[in-house]
């Protein structure tokens, strides 16, 4: 087990996650049960164990499984399972930084870029986390994340993506920032420069004051101003960024309402040990339905049971 893994990703009791460390943890017992379940293709047992352990515990199970069987657990899951359930359990088995790196890689592979997934990860992760994800990306894919993103984006949107990937806090005056953003909206075509500079380089408290001040001054919601004054990818990027500054939980809950499998799994796996309880609360406020109930309308079988186990309970 890599000791740096535990240092690099802080997850513990008392978080707002739904998945917690299993208190009566016996990795050898889990590994033996999983071995028997893989032979029988017993998805129920696999779901019960893998959704009921923290990610750090799953890493211990995977290495214990390898010691006992001389086989790779991920390889065993691929042989025993298929479809969405296979994908979900393999995602749960990945260390968090690897998982985020994979999500970014998948967002950029194939025809067309999934700009919204790029923005979701860049806007909801701290500068330190993004540096760690970049380093992991290089290890996994032998490619530089920044260069890959530059190649997949263009114009103001590329500038926004680069600024978010390298975000750092720079002091600024609230009133001065409000004036800069307000002035950028005055022309026929808005200037994205100040938006990129300010929204990627201040802390969230400062930015919330700036956005509230801008709304008071302009008499319209910031999201509406962005919608009217920008177009194309930069409009999408700034809208996501503004929503994540104002309330990342509400933004992620909105993303889940599409009920598209990759997006739902991406958010639920990524946030299961951090703040999925907050996202659940935002979801019910937004839709009037609990996430637990909504999942049951859109998914089925063992895949549904695994998603419900990560969601944990009815609100």
């Amino acid at each position: 087990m890599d000791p740096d893994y535990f240092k690099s990703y802080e997850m513990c009791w008392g978080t707002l996650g739904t998945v917690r460390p299993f208190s009566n943890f016996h990795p050898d017992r889990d590994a033996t049960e999983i071995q028997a379940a893989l032979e029988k293709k017993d998805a129920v047992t696999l779901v019960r164990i893998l959704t009921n352990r923290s990610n750090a515990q799953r890493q211990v199970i995977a290495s214990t499984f390898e010691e006992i069987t001389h086989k790779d657990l991920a390889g065993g899951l691929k042989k025993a399972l298929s479809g969405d359930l296979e994908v979900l359990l393999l995602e749960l088995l990945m260390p968090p930084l690897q998982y985020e790196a994979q999500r970014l890689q998948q967002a950029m592979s194939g025809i067309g870029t999934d700009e919204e997934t790029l923005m979701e990860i860049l806007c909801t992760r701290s500068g330190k986390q993004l540096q760690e994800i970049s380093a992991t990306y290089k290890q996994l894919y032998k490619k530089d994340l920044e260069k890959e993103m530059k190649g997949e984006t263009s114009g103001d949107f590329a500038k926004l993506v680069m600024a978010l990937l390298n975000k750092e806090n720079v002091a600024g005056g609230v009133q001065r920032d409000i004036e800069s953003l307000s002035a950028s909206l005055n022309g026929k075509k808005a200037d994205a420069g100040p938006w990129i500079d300010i929204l990627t380089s201040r802390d969230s408290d400062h930015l919330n004051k700036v956005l509230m001040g801008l709304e008071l001054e302009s008499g319209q919601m910031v999201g509406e101003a962005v919608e009217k004054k920008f177009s194309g990818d930069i409009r999408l990027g700034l809208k996501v960024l503004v929503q994540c500054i104002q309330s990342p939980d509400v933004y992620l809950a909105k993303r889940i309402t599409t009920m598209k499998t990759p997006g739902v799994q991406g958010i639920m796996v990524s946030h299961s040990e951090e703040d999925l309880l907050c996202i659940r609360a935002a979801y019910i406020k937004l839709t009037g339905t609990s996430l637990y109930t909504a999942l049951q309308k859109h998914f089925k079988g063992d895949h549904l049971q695994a998603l419900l186990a990560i969601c944990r309970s009815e609100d």
Side-chain angles (χ1 to χ4, degrees), residues 127-172:
K128 181 175 175 283
Q129 284 173 321
L130 290 170
Q131 283 171 9
E132 292 176 336
I133 292 165
S134 294
T136 305
Y137 190 96
K138 193 152 202 173
Q139 280 175 350
L140 282 179
Y141 303 108
K142 309 293 179 264
K143 288 176 181 173
D144 182 73
L145 180 57
E146 191 166 334
K147 279 185 190 161
E148 291 284 287
M149 284 185 167
K150 266 186 191 162
E152 291 292 329
T153 54
S154 60
D156 286 331
F157 184 67
K159 289 176 193 166
L160 175 61
V161 165
M162 290 305 108
L164 284 166
L165 187 61
N166 299 296
K167 65 175 101 159
E168 52 185 331
N169 283 350
V170 178

Side-chain angles (χ1 to χ4, degrees), residues 19 30 34 38 44-55 57-59 61-62 73 77 81 88-90 92-93 309-310 312:
V19 176
D30 285 346
I34 285 172
L38 290 173
V44 174
T45 298
L46 296 172
V47 167
R48 175 176 56 77
I49 295 171
L50 294 175
T51 59
N52 247 312
R53 308 292 183 268
S54 68
N55 191 283
Q57 289 175 331
R58 284 180 224 126
Q59 304 311 314
I61 292 168
L73 179 51
L77 288 172
L81 303 171
L88 178 55
L89 293 189
L90 286 171
L92 286 171
L93 214 52
I310 296 166
R312 265 307 177 266

